[in-house]
Amino acid sequence: MIRHPLTLQSALASVCLLAAACSNTPPPTDWQMNAKNSLDRASNAWLSGDDRVETAEFARARSELARTGRPELVARAELTRCATRVASLQFEACAGFEPLAIDASADERAYARYLQGAASVGDAALLPEQHRSAAVNASAPTIAAIGDPLGALVAAGVAFRRGQADPAIAALAVEKASNQGWRRPLLAWLAVQLKAAEGAGNAAEADRLRRRIDLVTATR
């Protein structure tokens, strides 16, 4: 199960999204479980390189959340979607979040700035706990300390966007993506390593990386 960098679960805690977290409360409603399951499937599909499934599953998740009339829930889903793009080094405006920003919390707006590589020092305290250290000090050790793979890849992507991703961060991101079988971020980070090897004139390393990229792309 994907743990989202800005957890939709936390936003839904009061209405009990996860049955495991709700032992003393009524079971979750259909829309809660439908939204969570579709959002998980959408994230997995994107990271695996399946745009068609991602689009369909995210639309289902957003529809379920929109039924509540709670913009903060939809905002978090949109930020989760944007986070998977940052993890894959696809940098663009978080268009789905922008119309919801006016009703979003300060934490959500801070996270949106973080994804854009524009977080201030003051924003760090508003970020999900796992991202606070990396937001202040983007290094391989601080990113490696992030417990879940997607969170680590997002932090690495933010560091790259800010020009702070050194070879150790790139190697860590490749390892995280590879271990999860997440094709899209793996190819993105392998391309970063390949460019560095070519720039350094390391032909043997560049050839090794090209073979690895070819292996991944052949699986599609």
Side-chain angles (χ1 to χ4, degrees):
M1 180 180 69
I2 283 183
R3 289 178 57 199
H4 297 293
L6 182 66
T7 60
L8 183 63
Q9 287 93 327
S10 64
L12 287 169
S14 62
V15 289
C16 191
L17 178 62
L18 292 175
C22 308
S23 57
N24 296 319
T25 58
T29 64
D30 287 346
W31 73 263
Q32 292 163 1
M33 293 306 298
N34 290 343
K36 180 194 176 298
N37 291 339
S38 286
L39 190 60
D40 281 349
R41 287 192 293 267
S43 296
N44 267 315
W46 170 264
L47 296 166
S48 299
D50 192 331
D51 292 358
R52 180 185 61 80
V53 171
E54 190 273 344
T55 298
E57 291 292 348
F58 185 80
R60 291 189 189 99
R62 199 183 195 285
S63 177
E64 293 287 348
L65 295 170
R67 288 169 54 190
T68 70
R70 294 176 59 180
E72 73 274 14
L73 300 185
V74 181
R76 289 206 168 198
E78 291 287 356
L79 287 171
T80 293
R81 192 183 205 192
C82 293
T84 62
R85 272 64 177 170
V86 172
S88 306
L89 304 185
Q90 294 197 14
F91 304 128
E92 56 197 36
C94 194
F97 173 75
E98 290 173 358
L100 302 163
I102 191 170
D103 293 313
S105 70
D107 290 2
E108 290 151 358
R109 290 193 295 271
Y111 188 69
R113 289 190 292 272
Y114 174 67
L115 293 179
Q116 293 294 315
S120 67
V121 173
D123 284 332
L126 300 176
L127 296 176
E129 184 175 358
Q130 61 180 346
H131 286 280
R132 292 172 190 168
S133 295
V136 174
N137 176 29
S139 66
T142 57
I143 293 172
I146 294 174
D148 68 288
L150 180 53
L153 284 168
V154 170
V158 170
F160 185 87
R161 192 169 200 173
R162 298 184 70 163
Q164 299 170 341
D166 60 17
I169 290 177
L172 176 65
V174 165
E175 178 185 5
K176 294 288 186 182
S178 175
N179 287 345
Q180 296 299 312
W182 286 339
R183 182 177 178 276
R184 197 187 299 265
L186 177 58
L187 287 172
W189 283 103
L190 286 173
V192 169
Q193 290 186 316
L194 175 59
K195 183 177 180 180
E198 291 173 338
N202 190 338
E205 177 65 3
D207 286 343
R208 184 188 71 83
L209 289 164
R210 290 191 194 97
R211 289 193 298 272
R212 192 170 181 186
I213 290 169
D214 288 344
L215 182 64
V216 178
T217 54
T219 63
R220 187 161 187 170

